[in-house]
């Protein structure tokens, strides 16, 4: 990697990109992959058949450009989200990262600022940098929470043009209360801040956890971002989307590449949404495994961040690298997210969860057989 960076540095790359490393988690071939928050249950057989049939039909027209307005897909996404949303409220792209990139291209750029609240999704500063947007960082509480008043005050003081709020937050799993979103939105009035609530893991939230979709009416600068990668088990299909006022989608049309969603992607997503109930049937099981992990880690005496997602952040590790390596040696890959004394694990199947907990116990309690 050092030689690669040295070769890269000899090119006339933009100054704000020098020395940066590309985003990515370790890709290691092991039996149990619990490091990148994928849905470990896969796509049910009957849904796979439906997707293949839809793709086969789309293939017949591959000599033509796809519907650049992805009209049918927007209709299905609006129906899925509910909350009185229509197709004009929806935008989609190749994964939620491209959705966020479109937002930054339209509302960020040189001379403009975005703010995030680390620890949070590590792509936010990378997306900001790639669009020439200055990236600022705000503060979280000791329990990785965001206080409505202090967060709003930071947003107002910085005059940020774009605000990233991740709920449930990655990598901590913590959810935001709607008063945080509402106060931050009001605090951005002077700067006309675009407020993004990234709800990539919303389907895994505990019952009763509100969605920022409830706050959309009357807030034309509020955006709620979602993905089909997680709960829908379609990480390989690359389909992210957002809900917002129709004028937000109009702004994003100015910066999207022509025909940016392929006919194959559109067909796959529509077929999946048509069978959403079957695809989401595993969500409750994933939540049960998440809660098993929380309970198991607590029994081991390890502090755990409250999680409304399909992963768990846990701390209390004197040597997290040794624990990470010990798990890897046993065939279990989890994630070191760079928070001192902490690691993050994705909720797997029942068997995967059991192996993770048993292996972890053997590593932190060597005397326990």
């Amino acid at each position: 990697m050092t030689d690669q960076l040295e070769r890269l540095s000899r090119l006339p790359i933009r100054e704000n990109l020098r020395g940066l490393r590309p985003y990515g988690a370790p890709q290691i071939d092991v039996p149990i992959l619990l490091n990148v928050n994928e849905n470990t249950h896969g796509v049910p057989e009957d849904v796979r058949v439906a997707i293949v049939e839809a793709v086969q039909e789309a293939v017949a027209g591959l000599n033509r450009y796809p519907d650049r307005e992805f009209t049918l897909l927007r209709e299905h996404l609006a129906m899925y989200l509910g909350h009185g949303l229509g197709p004009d409220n929806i935008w989609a792209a190749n994964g939620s990262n491209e959705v966020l990139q479109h937002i930054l291209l339209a509302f960020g750029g040189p001379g403009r600022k975005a703010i995030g609240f680390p620890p949070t999704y590590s792509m936010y500063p990378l997306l900001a940098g790639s669009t020439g947007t200055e990236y600022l960082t705000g503060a979280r509480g000791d329990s990785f929470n965001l206080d409505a008043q202090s967060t709003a005050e930071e947003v107002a003081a910085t005059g940020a043009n774009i605000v990233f709020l991740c709920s449930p937050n990655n990598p901590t799993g913590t959810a935001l209360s709607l008063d945080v979103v509402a106060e931050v939105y009001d605090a951005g009035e002077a700067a006309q801040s675009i407020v993004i609530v990234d709800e990539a893991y919303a389907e895994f939230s505990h019952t009763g956890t509100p969605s920022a979709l409830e706050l959309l009416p009357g807030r034309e600068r509020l955006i709620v971002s979602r993905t089909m990668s997680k709960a829908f088990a379609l990480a390989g299909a690359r389909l992210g989307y957002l809900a917002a006022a129709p004028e937000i989608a109009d702004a994003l049309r100015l910066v999207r590449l022509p025909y940016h969603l392929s006919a194959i992607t559109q067909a796959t997503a529509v077929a999946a949404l048509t069978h959403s109930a079957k695809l989401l049937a595993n969500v409750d099981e994933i939540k049960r495994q998440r809660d098993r992990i929380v309970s198991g880690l607590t029994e081991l005496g390890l502090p755990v961040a409250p999680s409304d997602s399909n992963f768990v952040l846990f701390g209390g590790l004197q040597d997290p690298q040794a624990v990470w390596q010990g798990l890897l040696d046993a065939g279990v890959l989890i994630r070191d997210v760079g928070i001192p004394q902490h690691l993050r694990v994705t909720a797997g199947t029942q068997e995967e969860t059991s192996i993770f907990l048993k292996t972890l116990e053997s590593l932190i309690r060597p005397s326990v057989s």
Side-chain angles (χ1 to χ4, degrees), residues 9-244:
S9 69
R10 294 197 291 268
L11 293 175
I13 193 170
R14 281 171 21 205
E15 288 301 320
N16 69 315
L17 299 180
R18 288 191 182 279
L20 296 183
R21 294 178 180 270
Y23 173 85
Q27 292 184 306
I28 303 173
D29 185 15
V30 295
I32 300 177
L33 297 170
L34 303 177
N35 65 323
V36 289
N37 303 338
E38 296 162 322
N39 187 322
T40 53
H41 287 68
V43 179
E45 173 64 25
D46 52 348
V47 182
R48 291 204 300 269
V49 170
I51 290 174
V52 169
E53 291 176 352
V55 168
Q56 186 173 5
E57 184 176 343
V59 166
L62 285 185
N63 59 309
R64 303 293 184 183
Y65 287 115
D67 175 11
R68 68 168 178 249
E69 292 302 316
F70 44 98
T71 308
L72 183 61
L73 175 56
R74 287 191 292 115
E75 291 174 357
H76 278 270
L77 287 168
M79 286 189 291
Y80 169 69
L81 290 179
H83 289 82
L85 297 167
D88 290 346
N89 298 109
I90 304 299
W91 186 253
N94 294 283
S96 58
N97 287 325
E98 187 176 59
V99 170
L100 297 176
Q101 184 184 57
H102 285 170
I103 297 169
L104 283 157
L105 286 169
F107 299 103
R112 298 195 174 192
K113 298 174 286 188
I115 187 171
F117 298 86
T120 192
Y121 186 33
S122 57
M123 274 300 297
Y124 297 154
L126 295 178
L127 288 166
S130 69
T131 57
T133 308
E134 182 182 0
Y135 187 75
L136 310 173
T137 56
R140 286 186 179 267
D142 293 337
S143 300
F144 303 116
N145 64 310
L146 288 180
D147 173 75
Q149 181 177 346
S150 60
T151 305
E153 288 174 353
E154 283 193 272
V155 168
T158 60
N161 305 97
I162 297 171
V163 182
F164 290 107
L165 299 174
C166 192
S167 180
N169 184 51
N170 180 13
T172 65
T174 45
L176 287 178
S177 61
L178 293 188
D179 64 318
V180 174
V181 180
E183 290 199 33
V184 165
Y185 184 89
D186 291 343
E189 178 68 30
Q192 287 291 285
S193 307
I194 296 294
V195 178
I196 306 165
V197 183
D198 184 349
E199 292 189 345
Y201 301 93
E203 286 90 348
F204 300 107
S205 295
H206 291 281
T207 302
T209 302
S211 166
L213 292 170
E214 298 178 19
L215 298 178
L216 284 176
R219 293 180 172 87
E220 71 280 357
R221 293 179 287 105
L222 180 61
I223 297 172
V224 180
S225 173
R226 292 281 188 99
T227 183
M228 295 184 73
S229 292
K230 309 302 181 181
F232 276 85
L234 291 179
R238 310 310 301 133
L239 197 290
Y241 60 101
L242 64 75

